[in-house]
Amino acid sequence: MLELQHIAKYYNPGTVNEMCLFQDFNLTVKDGQFVSVVGSNGSGKTSLLNLICGSIDLDAGAIVMDGKDITGEKEYRRLRRIGRVYQNPAMGTCPNMTILENLAMADNKGKFFGLGRGTDKSRIDHYREMLRQLNLGLEDKLQVKVGSLSGGQRQAMSLLMSTMTPIDFLILDEHTAALDPKTAERIMELTDKIVKEKKLTTIMVTHNLRYAVEYGDRLLMMHQGKAVMDLEGEEKKNLKVEQILDQFNAISIECGN
């Protein structure tokens, strides 16, 4: 279980541009939940993910993971238990390394890197089988450099690599936003399959309202650092895209737009 307790986050503190994004913000994500997070730009979606992963520090409050306070834990230590896929497909892979080398590196996440070979030949067949499940023909391109792949292929690899080692949480930061519609659909289907098979607690930030409605079992709408909509169970199951749009319009009118 993931808990954010009385979180506060300020940007540009002590300046004329000081902004309080989160103030006494609380959130609990149960084990196995798949939470879709929507909201306008500046609502706090990505900052929420960055706080959880340790990419930015909070100013007050605590982050508790499975009963352990990880507030002061470094990002690299948190990422031993957290897999993260970014909006930019290039951020999750190394372009100048081959597919095989990328997979081998991800396979050794959290392990000690000595002076031995980086690629374990006994794992190659395993890598091929993993890639075959993507249905992208990558299983026959192990020696191809990742930089030559399409954005969709790289994002599929990023998703695969982020979940290769045992993790408890999966963080998806608009991971389909840079893809064409057909490829985005494929990545979402793959995401849903991996989350269900591995029973991962997942938080997905997305601007695609249909994905937010169709995938996951809980939906959060963020606005000015607050959760203005929080639906799960039957409420989430019966949710329509039009209802989210109505909420967006109400917020827009409230803000004078």
Side-chain angles (χ1 to χ4, degrees):
M1 185 165 68
L2 176 68
E3 298 174 87
L4 277 67
Q5 302 174 349
H6 308 291
I7 296 298
K9 178 59 185 177
Y10 294 84
Y11 287 102
N12 305 310
T15 72
V16 294
N17 295 318
E18 180 175 311
M19 182 188 74
C20 176
L21 181 57
F22 292 109
Q23 187 171 33
D24 197 28
F25 178 77
N26 295 278
L27 176 67
T28 297
V29 180
K30 300 173 186 174
D31 289 341
Q33 273 195 327
F34 185 162
V35 185
S36 299
V37 182
V38 298
S40 57
N41 292 333
S43 62
K45 305 184 303 298
T46 297
S47 291
L48 177 66
L49 302 187
N50 286 333
L51 287 170
I52 292 170
C53 292
S55 305
I56 59 176
D57 296 324
L58 49 81
D59 294 306
I63 298 176
V64 179
M65 190 177 289
D66 291 335
K68 178 186 176 184
D69 189 335
I70 62 167
T71 308
E73 198 170 84
K74 297 294 185 182
E75 181 177 15
Y76 76 92
R77 288 189 176 275
R78 297 189 198 189
L79 293 181
R80 291 175 180 173
R81 300 183 59 193
I82 299 173
R84 186 170 185 177
V85 185
Y86 297 86
Q87 177 178 342
N88 184 353
M91 291 186 68
T93 53
C94 295
N96 293 321
M97 295 171 63
T98 66
I99 291 176
L100 177 60
E101 290 167 340
N102 270 266
L103 293 175
M105 184 170 61
D107 202 12
N108 284 285
K109 175 183 174 181
K111 299 176 184 176
F112 175 73
F113 282 84
L115 296 176
R117 290 185 177 274
T119 303
D120 183 350
K121 291 184 178 180
S122 67
R123 297 284 287 168
I124 291 178
D125 287 340
H126 173 66
Y127 296 154
R128 280 204 177 96
E129 185 55 35
M130 291 176 64
L131 291 168
R132 188 172 288 114
Q133 296 175 28
L134 301 179
N135 294 319
L136 295 173
L138 297 178
E139 63 273 14
D140 299 320
K141 299 179 179 180
L142 287 177
Q143 299 305 325
V144 172
K145 288 191 175 183
V146 170
S148 67
L149 303 180
S150 69
Q153 289 173 321
R154 291 183 72 169
Q155 200 66 311
M157 275 200 60
S158 295
L159 185 60
L160 193 65
M161 289 166 61
S162 69
T163 57
M164 281 181 69
T165 54
I167 57 172
D168 298 310
F169 299 90
L170 180 61
I171 301 294
L172 306 170
D173 190 359
E174 298 185 46
H175 71 307
T176 62
L179 308 176
D180 65 79
K182 183 178 179 180
T183 305
E185 292 287 346
R186 176 64 186 137
I187 294 299
M188 278 307 308
E189 291 169 1
L190 178 63
T191 299
D192 195 48
K193 180 174 181 288
I194 289 175
V195 168
K196 288 177 178 176
E197 286 181 353
K198 296 180 178 288
K199 297 179 174 61
L200 298 174
T201 305
T202 304
I203 302 177
M204 176 181 74
V205 165
T206 180
H207 280 295
N208 189 311
L209 300 185
R210 181 170 65 81
Y211 292 163
V213 168
E214 290 183 3
Y215 293 94
D217 48 24
R218 183 178 177 187
L219 182 138
L220 287 180
M221 179 184 286
M222 301 296 297
H223 177 59
Q224 296 181 348
K226 298 181 178 64
V228 296
M229 180 184 285
D230 187 354
L231 304 176
E232 57 183 302
E234 286 300 312
E235 283 188 305
K236 167 65 169 64
K237 195 174 181 180
N238 297 323
L239 184 65
K240 306 294 183 185
V241 171
E242 291 75 19
Q243 292 172 262
I244 307 179
L245 282 173
D246 288 344
Q247 185 70 23
F248 267 117
N249 289 334
I251 290 172
S252 182
I253 292 171
E254 181 183 317
C255 293
N257 298 324

